[in-house]
Amino acid sequence: YDQDIEFHGDISPVLLCASTNVFISTSGGVGEPLNVGFFALKPDKRLLLAAEIMAKGIKFNKQTGWGGAGFKPSGGYFVGAECGQGYVHTLIYQKKAAVARDALEAAGLPPMDAPS
């Protein structure tokens, strides 16, 4: 967990929900669409493989994001876009981006069921 994430009560229901193949994430307080301080999903080696595949040769650009995938739903660059926060956001949420789609497919996964 990041320092800006705090749980009150039992986290078990969140993890139980994630175990049903639901990706659970949080957004941040300064405009970032994904806060990697907390997310939960059912462990799957194929998703790790997809992240590794996408990393090969990809570059970040402050105007176009990871591999030109953009920043939607953000209007542009957001805090942490150049780090894990933006990288995971691209892989999971940028379904129309070739870099994410191709990596997921190469790892044997369909595009994540997330908003376009």
Side-chain angles (χ1 to χ4, degrees), residues 30 36 47-48 51 63 66-68 85-86 91 96 100 106-107 112 116:
V30 290
V36 293
L47 189 55
L48 176 58
Q63 281 71 47
W66 285 101
Q85 204 152 268
L91 180 64
K96 294 181 181 178
M112 302 296 283
S116 300

Side-chain angles (χ1 to χ4, degrees), residues 31-72:
E32 66 274 23
L34 173 72
N35 182 328
V36 293
F38 175 80
F39 63 91
L41 68 157
K42 185 176 182 178
D44 188 328
K45 290 180 182 181
R46 298 173 300 169
L47 189 55
L48 176 58
L49 178 60
E52 292 169 345
I53 290 168
M54 193 171 92
K56 292 179 182 173
I58 197 170
K59 296 198 185 307
F60 177 81
N61 178 292
K62 211 167 185 175
Q63 281 71 47
T64 62
W66 285 101
F71 301 102
K72 288 185 179 184

Side-chain angles (χ1 to χ4, degrees), residues 18-33:
S19 76
T20 65
N21 288 325
V22 174
F23 180 78
I24 299 171
S25 65
T26 57
S27 61
V30 290
E32 66 274 23

